[in-house]
Amino acid sequence: MGHVFITRAVPGRAVESLTAAGHSVQLWPGDLPPSPEALAAALAAADAAFTTVVDFVSPAMLAASRHLKIVANMAVGYDNIDPAAAAELGVWVTNTPGVLAETTADMAWALLMAAARNVVASDRDTRAGGWKTWSPTGFLGVDVFGATLGIVGLGEIGEAVARRATGFKMRILYHSRTRKPALEADLGLEYAAFPDLLAGSDFISLHTPLTPETRGLMGAAEFAAMKPSAILVNTSRGGVVDQDALIEALRSRAIAGAALDVTTPEPLPLDSPLYTFPNVVITPHIASASLATRSRMAEMAAENIIAVLGGGAPLHPVNRPTNPRHT
Ligand code: NAP
């Protein structure tokens, strides 16, 4: 039976399942994640690591953790781990696909609507005593119904965002590595080259993973190509956006606003200029944060660990070690 290190308290029955399978569970206490040093020390003593998106597991940590057989990330993204380096060392890396797309798409839409209709700015103003009368010119936003939505990265979440947009009778453009003819036909999507999507969209919603190809995908040239009335929504990863370029685009009014669930770094430091723009909505990486979804994600991470510590292959691998470490 194995020793499992979990980097944070998690909802649902994940810990119960691990214990019921006979494993000992070490839960990192407190609300903040372990420091890199504490993480390295804990991994060195563990057979399995249960991590979140803020736990950066380096190849050096994996090399030093001789008993570690699996890093089970409680997320669909896994840019906090190097799966190829882990595979070479015989360590499985797993994620939690298929359970968080709808919840994340809900949040992308919450952000889009909030930015389009000044929901956060007007709430803030109302609480500060700014509601003096009904104003014909106050908090004028932009219409979502009938507007053009540009989806970048048409995977599970991008598709779920697109499906919601059909109810708003939007024109839906998408750009992805591969065309999806079935979805084009089913949802009325239009494939667009990236420059055409940038120039033609009223809202751009990012849904790619963070990879070497997508890092800084939205930079100065891309913001310059957008409509000055357009709004950027990012629920993917902060690194997909060149944040300095975004700040400059907001300053120069090259774009009308942004709604960000992810930033660089996280947490976003309180002196970031992003906080100074009333037309920017910022949430603390909570797009998958419904109780049901986070519980299911945690349970999937536990299932992956139980499979590997039981001597099998995990259910949701993102790498494939040729010589997996044995239990
Ligand atoms: P997914 O199903 O793997 O979809 C990602 C899509 O991005 C794929 O369809 C892929 O395209 C496309 N893509 C990859 N590289 C691209 C590139 N260079 N240019 C254009 N498109 C590219 O993943 P998902 O479940 O939708 O999740 C997407 C990302 O959202 C995750 O990786 C994660 O980082 C982030 N996320 C964030 C939160 C949050 O809490 N904020 C929650 C969940 C996920 P093809 O299919 O065309 O090859």
Side-chain angles (χ1 to χ4, degrees):
M1 292 299 109
H3 176 65
V4 182
F5 176 63
I6 308 187
T7 61
R8 315 293 288 286
V10 291
R13 299 196 331 272
V15 173
E16 208 177 305
S17 306
L18 287 164
T19 313
H23 304 301
S24 66
V25 172
Q26 180 194 354
L27 200 58
W28 180 256
D31 291 335
L32 293 177
S35 65
E37 296 73 27
L39 180 62
L43 296 192
D47 295 294
F50 181 132
T51 53
T52 74
V53 292
V54 293
D55 303 309
F56 290 89
V57 179
S58 68
M61 284 183 199
L62 295 175
S65 308
R66 292 166 178 270
H67 306 290
L68 194 72
K69 293 150 196 80
I70 172 171
V71 179
N73 214 33
M74 183 185 148
V76 72
Y78 45 87
D79 43 279
N80 53 316
I81 310 161
D82 180 340
E88 278 195 18
L89 291 160
V91 180
W92 291 100
V93 177
T94 61
N95 70 344
T96 62
V99 296
L100 47 66
E102 302 298 347
T103 306
T104 304
D106 283 349
M107 186 67 185
W109 266 90
L111 287 171
L112 187 156
M113 299 291 280
R117 298 302 305 277
N118 296 303
V119 173
V120 177
S122 62
D123 175 88
R124 215 180 277 135
D125 185 71
T126 302
R127 287 166 197 263
W131 189 3
K132 307 290 189 213
T133 180
W134 182 88
S135 165
T137 55
F139 294 109
L140 297 181
V142 292
D143 284 318
V144 175
F145 189 88
T148 299
L149 172 65
I151 295 176
V152 182
L154 194 70
E156 276 197 71
I157 298 168
E159 179 188 338
V161 167
R163 252 186 287 110
R164 284 156 177 73
T166 61
F168 282 80
K169 301 275 186 265
M170 296 179 98
R171 180 181 179 207
I172 310 167
L173 308 178
Y174 79 97
H175 180 75
S176 212
R177 280 179 311 196
T178 47
R179 275 188 78 153
K180 320 274 164 102
L183 283 178
E184 288 177 25
D186 190 24
L187 300 175
L189 312 186
E190 298 172 43
Y191 180 81
F194 194 39
D196 296 337
L197 181 145
L198 292 170
S201 301
D202 299 306
F203 299 93
I204 292 180
S205 196
L206 304 179
H207 300 290
T208 66
L210 177 61
T211 64
E213 292 76 40
T214 63
R215 186 175 288 282
L217 185 71
M218 292 299 299
E222 287 70 29
F223 291 122
M226 285 171 65
K227 294 185 187 184
S229 56
I231 289 171
L232 176 77
V233 179
N234 189 10
T235 56
S236 63
R237 286 287 183 267
V240 176
V241 172
D242 175 340
Q243 202 161 278
D244 291 338
L246 171 62
I247 290 166
E248 191 43 44
L250 290 161
R251 255 191 204 127
S252 64
R253 298 177 194 268
I255 67 169
L260 312 169
D261 186 52
V262 287
T263 59
T264 307
E266 294 179 10
L268 186 67
L270 281 174
D271 61 358
S272 168
L274 281 175
Y275 290 116
T276 65
F277 299 107
N279 49 342
V280 171
V281 177
I282 303 168
T283 52
H285 203 147
I286 57 168
S288 68
S290 75
L291 176 60
T293 293
R294 287 275 173 89
S295 299
R296 186 66 199 116
M297 289 163 68
E299 282 150 18
M300 282 172 84
E303 286 159 14
N304 282 316
I305 290 172
I306 290 167
V308 169
L309 295 190
L315 287 73
H316 308 102
V318 298
N319 69 351
R320 204 156 283 284
T322 35
N323 289 307
R325 292 176 180 174
H326 292 297
T327 48

Coordinates of all heavy atoms in Angstrom, one line a residue, residues 53 75-79 95-101 103-105 107 111 151-160 174-180 191 194 206-215 217 234-238 240 261-262 266 283-289 294 297, ligand 1:
V53 N -3.1 23.0 -9.8 CA -2.4 23.8 -10.8 C -1.3 24.8 -10.3 O -0.5 25.2 -11.0 CB -3.4 24.7 -11.6 CG1 -4.3 23.8 -12.4 CG2 -4.2 25.6 -10.7
A75 N -6.7 18.8 -12.4 CA -7.0 19.9 -13.4 C -7.0 19.2 -14.7 O -6.4 18.1 -14.9 CB -5.9 20.9 -13.3
V76 N -7.5 19.9 -15.7 CA -7.4 19.3 -17.1 C -6.1 19.8 -17.7 O -5.4 19.1 -18.4 CB -8.6 19.7 -17.9 CG1 -8.7 21.1 -18.3 CG2 -8.7 18.8 -19.2
G77 N -5.7 21.0 -17.3 CA -4.4 21.5 -17.8 C -3.2 20.9 -16.9 O -3.5 20.5 -15.8
Y78 N -2.1 20.8 -17.5 CA -0.9 20.2 -16.7 C 0.4 20.9 -17.0 O 1.4 20.3 -17.0 CB -0.9 18.7 -16.9 CG -1.0 18.3 -18.4 CD1 0.1 18.2 -19.2 CD2 -2.3 18.0 -18.9 CE1 0.0 17.9 -20.6 CE2 -2.4 17.7 -20.3 CZ -1.3 17.6 -21.1 OH -1.4 17.3 -22.4
D79 N 0.3 22.2 -17.3 CA 1.5 23.0 -17.6 C 2.4 23.2 -16.3 O 3.4 23.8 -16.4 CB 1.1 24.3 -18.2 CG 0.0 25.0 -17.5 OD1 -1.2 24.6 -17.8 OD2 0.2 25.9 -16.7
N95 N -4.5 13.8 -15.6 CA -5.3 15.0 -15.5 C -6.8 14.6 -15.3 O -7.0 13.4 -15.1 CB -5.1 15.9 -16.6 CG -5.7 15.4 -17.9 OD1 -6.0 14.2 -18.1 ND2 -5.8 16.3 -18.9
T96 N -7.7 15.5 -15.3 CA -9.1 15.2 -15.1 C -10.0 15.7 -16.2 O -10.8 16.7 -16.0 CB -9.5 15.8 -13.7 OG1 -9.4 17.3 -13.8 CG2 -8.7 15.4 -12.6
P97 N -9.9 15.1 -17.4 CA -10.7 15.6 -18.5 C -12.1 15.1 -18.4 O -12.4 14.2 -17.6 CB -10.0 14.9 -19.7 CG -9.5 13.6 -19.2 CD -9.1 13.9 -17.7
G98 N -13.0 15.8 -19.2 CA -14.3 15.3 -19.3 C -15.3 15.7 -18.2 O -16.5 15.3 -18.3
V99 N -14.9 16.4 -17.2 CA -15.8 16.7 -16.1 C -15.9 18.1 -15.8 O -16.8 18.5 -15.0 CB -15.4 15.9 -14.8 CG1 -15.5 14.4 -15.0 CG2 -14.0 16.3 -14.3
L100 N -15.1 19.0 -16.4 CA -15.1 20.4 -16.0 C -15.5 21.4 -17.1 O -15.6 22.6 -16.9 CB -13.9 20.8 -15.2 CG -12.5 20.4 -15.9 CD1 -12.3 21.1 -17.2 CD2 -11.4 20.7 -14.9
A101 N -15.7 20.8 -18.3 CA -16.0 21.7 -19.4 C -17.2 22.6 -19.2 O -17.2 23.8 -19.5 CB -16.1 20.9 -20.7
T103 N -18.8 23.4 -16.5 CA -18.7 24.4 -15.4 C -17.7 25.5 -15.8 O -18.0 26.7 -15.5 CB -18.1 23.7 -14.1 OG1 -18.9 22.5 -13.8 CG2 -18.0 24.6 -12.9
T104 N -16.7 25.2 -16.5 CA -15.7 26.3 -16.9 C -16.4 27.1 -18.0 O -16.2 28.4 -18.0 CB -14.4 25.6 -17.5 OG1 -13.9 24.8 -16.4 CG2 -13.4 26.6 -17.8
A105 N -17.2 26.5 -18.9 CA -17.9 27.3 -19.9 C -18.9 28.3 -19.3 O -19.1 29.4 -19.7 CB -18.6 26.4 -20.9
M107 N -18.5 29.7 -16.5 CA -17.8 30.8 -15.9 C -17.3 31.8 -17.1 O -17.3 33.0 -16.9 CB -16.6 30.3 -15.1 CG -15.8 31.4 -14.4 SD -16.8 32.2 -13.1 CE -15.7 33.4 -12.6
L111 N -18.2 35.7 -17.1 CA -17.2 36.8 -17.3 C -17.5 37.6 -18.5 O -17.4 38.9 -18.5 CB -15.8 36.2 -17.4 CG -15.2 35.6 -16.1 CD1 -13.9 34.8 -16.4 CD2 -14.9 36.7 -15.1
I151 N -13.9 32.1 -30.8 CA -13.4 31.1 -29.8 C -12.0 30.6 -30.3 O -11.9 30.1 -31.4 CB -14.4 29.9 -29.7 CG1 -15.7 30.4 -29.1 CG2 -13.8 28.7 -28.9 CD1 -16.8 29.3 -29.1
V152 N -11.0 30.7 -29.4 CA -9.7 30.3 -29.8 C -9.4 29.0 -29.0 O -9.3 29.0 -27.8 CB -8.6 31.4 -29.4 CG1 -7.2 30.9 -29.9 CG2 -9.0 32.7 -30.1
G153 N -9.3 27.9 -29.8 CA -9.1 26.6 -29.1 C -10.4 25.9 -29.0 O -11.1 26.1 -28.0
L154 N -10.8 25.1 -30.0 CA -12.1 24.4 -29.9 C -12.0 23.0 -29.4 O -12.1 22.0 -30.2 CB -12.8 24.5 -31.3 CG -14.3 24.1 -31.3 CD1 -15.1 25.2 -30.6 CD2 -14.8 23.9 -32.7
G155 N -11.7 22.9 -28.1 CA -11.7 21.6 -27.5 C -13.0 21.4 -26.7 O -14.0 22.0 -27.0
E156 N -12.9 20.7 -25.5 CA -14.1 20.4 -24.7 C -14.7 21.7 -24.3 O -15.9 21.9 -24.3 CB -13.6 19.6 -23.5 CG -13.6 18.2 -23.7 CD -13.6 17.4 -22.4 OE1 -14.6 17.4 -21.8 OE2 -12.5 16.9 -22.0
I157 N -13.9 22.7 -23.7 CA -14.5 23.9 -23.1 C -14.9 24.8 -24.2 O -16.0 25.4 -24.2 CB -13.5 24.6 -22.2 CG1 -13.2 23.6 -21.0 CG2 -14.0 25.9 -21.6 CD1 -12.0 24.0 -20.2
G158 N -14.1 25.0 -25.3 CA -14.5 25.8 -26.4 C -15.8 25.4 -27.0 O -16.7 26.3 -27.3
E159 N -16.0 24.1 -27.1 CA -17.3 23.6 -27.7 C -18.4 24.0 -26.7 O -19.5 24.4 -27.2 CB -17.2 22.1 -27.9 CG -18.5 21.6 -28.4 CD -18.5 20.0 -28.5 OE1 -17.5 19.4 -28.5 OE2 -19.7 19.5 -28.5
A160 N -18.2 23.8 -25.4 CA -19.3 24.1 -24.5 C -19.6 25.6 -24.5 O -20.8 26.0 -24.3 CB -18.9 23.6 -23.1
Y174 N -14.4 30.3 -35.0 CA -13.5 29.6 -34.1 C -12.2 29.5 -34.9 O -12.1 29.4 -36.1 CB -14.0 28.3 -33.7 CG -13.9 27.2 -34.7 CD1 -12.9 26.3 -34.6 CD2 -14.9 27.0 -35.7 CE1 -12.8 25.2 -35.6 CE2 -14.8 26.0 -36.6 CZ -13.8 25.1 -36.6 OH -13.7 24.1 -37.5
H175 N -11.1 29.4 -34.1 CA -9.8 29.1 -34.6 C -9.2 28.0 -33.7 O -9.2 28.1 -32.5 CB -8.9 30.3 -34.7 CG -7.5 29.9 -35.2 ND1 -7.3 29.7 -36.6 CD2 -6.3 29.7 -34.6 CE1 -6.1 29.4 -36.8 NE2 -5.5 29.3 -35.6
S176 N -8.7 26.9 -34.3 CA -8.2 25.8 -33.6 C -7.1 25.2 -34.5 O -7.0 25.5 -35.6 CB -9.3 24.8 -33.2 OG -9.0 24.2 -32.0
R177 N -6.3 24.2 -33.9 CA -5.3 23.6 -34.7 C -5.9 22.8 -35.9 O -5.4 22.8 -37.0 CB -4.4 22.6 -33.9 CG -3.4 23.3 -33.1 CD -2.7 22.3 -32.3 NE -3.6 21.4 -31.6 CZ -3.2 20.6 -30.6 NH1 -2.0 20.6 -30.2 NH2 -4.1 19.8 -30.0
T178 N -7.1 22.2 -35.6 CA -7.7 21.4 -36.6 C -9.2 21.8 -36.8 O -9.8 22.3 -35.8 CB -7.8 19.9 -36.2 OG1 -8.2 19.8 -34.8 CG2 -6.4 19.2 -36.2
R179 N -9.6 21.7 -38.0 CA -11.0 22.1 -38.3 C -11.9 21.0 -37.7 O -11.6 19.8 -37.7 CB -11.2 22.3 -39.8 CG -10.9 23.6 -40.2 CD -11.3 23.9 -41.7 NE -12.7 24.1 -41.8 CZ -13.2 24.8 -42.8 NH1 -12.4 25.3 -43.7 NH2 -14.5 25.0 -42.9
K180 N -13.1 21.4 -37.3 CA -14.1 20.4 -36.8 C -15.4 20.5 -37.6 O -16.4 21.2 -37.2 CB -14.4 20.8 -35.3 CG -13.2 21.2 -34.5 CD -12.5 20.0 -33.9 CE -11.1 20.3 -33.4 NZ -10.9 20.5 -32.0
Y191 N -15.2 28.3 -39.3 CA -13.7 28.3 -39.0 C -13.1 29.6 -39.6 O -13.5 30.1 -40.6 CB -13.1 27.1 -39.8 CG -11.6 27.1 -39.5 CD1 -11.1 26.5 -38.4 CD2 -10.7 27.6 -40.5 CE1 -9.7 26.5 -38.1 CE2 -9.3 27.6 -40.2 CZ -8.8 27.1 -39.1 OH -7.5 27.0 -38.8
F194 N -6.6 32.9 -37.8 CA -6.5 33.6 -36.6 C -6.7 35.2 -36.8 O -7.4 35.8 -36.1 CB -5.2 33.3 -35.9 CG -5.1 33.7 -34.5 CD1 -6.2 33.7 -33.6 CD2 -3.9 34.2 -34.0 CE1 -6.0 34.1 -32.3 CE2 -3.7 34.7 -32.7 CZ -4.8 34.6 -31.8
L206 N -10.6 32.6 -24.9 CA -9.5 31.8 -25.1 C -9.7 30.4 -24.4 O -10.0 30.4 -23.2 CB -8.2 32.5 -24.5 CG -7.9 33.9 -25.1 CD1 -6.6 34.4 -24.4 CD2 -7.7 33.8 -26.6
H207 N -9.4 29.3 -25.2 CA -9.6 28.0 -24.6 C -8.5 27.0 -25.0 O -8.8 25.8 -25.2 CB -11.0 27.5 -25.0 CG -12.1 28.4 -24.4 ND1 -12.3 28.5 -23.1 CD2 -12.8 29.3 -25.0 CE1 -13.3 29.4 -22.9 NE2 -13.6 29.9 -24.0
T208 N -7.3 27.5 -25.3 CA -6.2 26.6 -25.6 C -5.5 26.2 -24.3 O -5.6 26.9 -23.3 CB -5.2 27.2 -26.5 OG1 -4.6 28.3 -25.7 CG2 -5.8 27.8 -27.8
P209 N -4.8 25.1 -24.3 CA -3.9 24.8 -23.2 C -2.7 25.8 -23.3 O -2.5 26.4 -24.3 CB -3.4 23.4 -23.4 CG -3.7 23.1 -24.8 CD -4.7 24.0 -25.4
L210 N -1.9 25.9 -22.2 CA -0.7 26.7 -22.3 C 0.4 25.7 -22.7 O 0.7 24.7 -22.0 CB -0.3 27.3 -20.9 CG 1.0 28.0 -20.9 CD1 1.0 29.2 -21.8 CD2 1.3 28.5 -19.4
T211 N 1.0 26.0 -23.9 CA 2.0 25.2 -24.5 C 3.1 26.1 -25.0 O 2.8 27.3 -25.1 CB 1.5 24.3 -25.6 OG1 1.1 25.2 -26.7 CG2 0.4 23.4 -25.2
P212 N 4.2 25.6 -25.5 CA 5.2 26.5 -26.1 C 4.6 27.3 -27.3 O 4.9 28.4 -27.5 CB 6.3 25.6 -26.6 CG 6.2 24.5 -25.6 CD 4.8 24.3 -25.3
E213 N 3.6 26.7 -28.0 CA 3.0 27.3 -29.2 C 2.0 28.4 -28.7 O 1.8 29.4 -29.5 CB 2.3 26.3 -30.0 CG 3.2 25.3 -30.8 CD 3.7 24.2 -29.8 OE1 2.9 23.8 -29.0 OE2 4.9 23.9 -29.9
T214 N 1.3 28.2 -27.6 CA 0.3 29.2 -27.3 C 0.8 30.2 -26.3 O 0.0 31.2 -26.0 CB -0.9 28.5 -26.6 OG1 -0.5 27.8 -25.4 CG2 -1.5 27.4 -27.6
R215 N 2.0 30.1 -25.7 CA 2.4 31.1 -24.8 C 2.5 32.4 -25.5 O 3.1 32.5 -26.6 CB 3.8 30.7 -24.2 CG 4.3 31.6 -23.1 CD 5.6 31.1 -22.5 NE 5.4 30.0 -21.7 CZ 4.9 30.0 -20.4 NH1 4.6 31.1 -19.9 NH2 4.8 28.9 -19.8
L217 N 0.2 34.0 -27.1 CA -0.6 33.9 -28.3 C -1.3 35.3 -28.6 O -1.4 35.8 -29.7 CB -1.6 32.8 -28.2 CG -2.5 32.5 -29.4 CD1 -1.7 31.8 -30.5 CD2 -3.7 31.6 -29.0
N234 N -10.5 35.4 -20.8 CA -9.5 34.4 -20.7 C -9.8 33.5 -19.5 O -9.7 33.9 -18.3 CB -8.1 35.0 -20.6 CG -7.0 33.9 -20.7 OD1 -7.4 32.7 -21.0 ND2 -5.8 34.2 -20.4
T235 N -10.2 32.3 -19.8 CA -10.3 31.3 -18.7 C -9.4 30.1 -19.0 O -9.5 29.0 -18.4 CB -11.8 30.7 -18.6 OG1 -12.1 30.1 -19.9 CG2 -12.8 31.7 -18.2
S236 N -8.3 30.4 -19.8 CA -7.4 29.3 -20.2 C -6.2 29.2 -19.2 O -6.3 28.6 -18.1 CB -7.0 29.4 -21.6 OG -6.2 30.5 -21.9
R237 N -5.2 29.9 -19.5 CA -4.1 30.1 -18.6 C -3.5 31.5 -18.8 O -3.5 32.0 -20.0 CB -2.9 29.1 -18.9 CG -3.2 27.7 -18.4 CD -3.1 27.5 -16.9 NE -3.3 26.1 -16.5 CZ -4.5 25.6 -16.1 NH1 -5.6 26.3 -16.1 NH2 -4.6 24.3 -15.8
G238 N -3.0 32.1 -17.8 CA -2.5 33.5 -17.9 C -1.4 33.6 -19.0 O -1.4 34.6 -19.7
V240 N -1.1 32.4 -21.8 CA -1.6 32.5 -23.2 C -1.6 34.0 -23.7 O -1.6 34.3 -24.8 CB -2.9 31.8 -23.4 CG1 -3.4 31.9 -24.8 CG2 -2.8 30.3 -23.0
D261 N -9.9 35.1 -15.7 CA -10.0 34.2 -14.6 C -8.5 33.7 -14.2 O -8.3 33.1 -13.2 CB -10.8 33.0 -14.9 CG -11.0 32.0 -13.7 OD1 -11.4 32.5 -12.6 OD2 -10.8 30.8 -13.8
V262 N -7.6 34.0 -15.2 CA -6.2 33.5 -15.0 C -5.3 34.7 -15.4 O -5.6 35.5 -16.3 CB -6.0 32.3 -15.9 CG1 -6.7 31.1 -15.4 CG2 -6.5 32.6 -17.4
E266 N 0.0 34.2 -10.6 CA -1.2 34.0 -9.8 C -0.7 33.7 -8.4 O 0.2 32.8 -8.2 CB -2.1 32.8 -10.3 CG -2.7 33.1 -11.6 CD -3.6 32.0 -12.2 OE1 -3.8 31.0 -11.4 OE2 -4.0 32.1 -13.3
T283 N -11.1 37.4 -11.7 CA -11.5 36.4 -10.7 C -10.3 35.5 -10.4 O -9.5 35.3 -11.3 CB -12.8 35.6 -11.2 OG1 -12.5 35.0 -12.5 CG2 -14.0 36.4 -11.2
P284 N -10.3 34.9 -9.3 CA -9.1 34.1 -8.8 C -9.0 32.7 -9.3 O -9.0 31.8 -8.4 CB -9.1 34.3 -7.3 CG -10.6 34.3 -7.0 CD -11.2 35.0 -8.1
H285 N -9.0 32.4 -10.6 CA -8.8 31.1 -11.2 C -9.9 30.2 -10.6 O -9.6 29.1 -10.0 CB -7.4 30.5 -10.9 CG -7.1 29.5 -11.9 ND1 -5.8 29.3 -12.3 CD2 -7.8 28.5 -12.5 CE1 -5.7 28.2 -13.1 NE2 -6.9 27.8 -13.3
I286 N -11.2 30.5 -10.8 CA -12.3 29.7 -10.2 C -13.2 29.2 -11.2 O -14.3 28.8 -10.9 CB -13.1 30.6 -9.2 CG1 -13.7 31.9 -9.9 CG2 -12.3 31.0 -8.0 CD1 -14.7 32.6 -9.1
A287 N -12.8 29.1 -12.5 CA -13.7 28.7 -13.5 C -14.3 27.3 -13.3 O -15.4 27.0 -13.7 CB -13.0 28.8 -14.9
S288 N -13.5 26.4 -12.7 CA -14.0 25.0 -12.5 C -14.6 24.9 -11.1 O -15.0 23.8 -10.6 CB -12.9 24.0 -12.6 OG -12.0 24.1 -11.6
A289 N -14.8 26.0 -10.4 CA -15.1 25.9 -8.9 C -16.6 25.8 -8.7 O -17.2 26.7 -8.1 CB -14.5 27.1 -8.2
R294 N -15.6 20.3 -8.7 CA -14.3 20.1 -8.0 C -14.2 18.8 -7.2 O -13.2 18.2 -7.1 CB -14.1 21.3 -7.0 CG -13.7 22.6 -7.7 CD -12.2 22.7 -8.0 NE -11.9 23.9 -8.8 CZ -11.6 25.1 -8.3 NH1 -11.6 25.3 -7.0 NH2 -11.3 26.1 -9.1
M297 N -13.5 16.2 -9.8 CA -12.1 16.3 -10.2 C -11.2 15.6 -9.2 O -10.2 14.9 -9.6 CB -11.7 17.8 -10.4 CG -12.3 18.5 -11.6 SD -12.2 20.3 -11.4 CE -10.4 20.5 -11.6
Ligands
NAP1 P1 -9.0 20.4 -24.7 O1 -10.2 19.7 -24.8 O2 -7.7 19.7 -24.8 O3 -9.0 21.6 -25.8 C1 -8.0 22.5 -26.1 C2 -8.1 22.9 -27.5 O4 -7.0 23.8 -27.8 C3 -7.9 21.7 -28.5 O5 -9.1 21.5 -29.2 C4 -6.7 22.2 -29.4 O6 -7.0 22.1 -30.7 C5 -6.6 23.6 -29.1 N1 -5.3 24.1 -29.3 C6 -4.1 23.6 -28.8 N2 -3.1 24.3 -29.2 C7 -3.5 25.2 -30.1 C8 -3.0 26.2 -30.9 N3 -1.6 26.4 -30.9 N4 -3.8 27.0 -31.6 C9 -5.1 26.9 -31.6 N5 -5.7 25.9 -30.9 C10 -5.0 25.1 -30.1 O7 -8.9 21.2 -23.3 P2 -10.1 21.9 -22.5 O8 -10.6 20.9 -21.6 O9 -11.0 22.6 -23.5 O10 -9.3 22.9 -21.7 C11 -8.5 24.0 -22.3 C12 -7.6 24.6 -21.3 O11 -8.4 25.4 -20.4 C13 -6.9 23.7 -20.3 O12 -5.7 23.2 -20.9 C14 -6.6 24.5 -19.1 O13 -5.4 25.2 -19.2 C15 -7.7 25.6 -19.2 N6 -8.7 25.4 -18.1 C16 -8.8 26.4 -17.2 C17 -9.7 26.3 -16.1 C18 -9.9 27.4 -15.1 O14 -10.2 27.1 -13.9 N7 -9.7 28.7 -15.5 C19 -10.5 25.2 -16.0 C20 -10.4 24.2 -17.0 C21 -9.4 24.3 -18.0 P3 -7.3 21.0 -31.7 O15 -8.4 20.1 -31.1 O16 -7.8 21.7 -32.9 O17 -6.1 20.2 -32.0

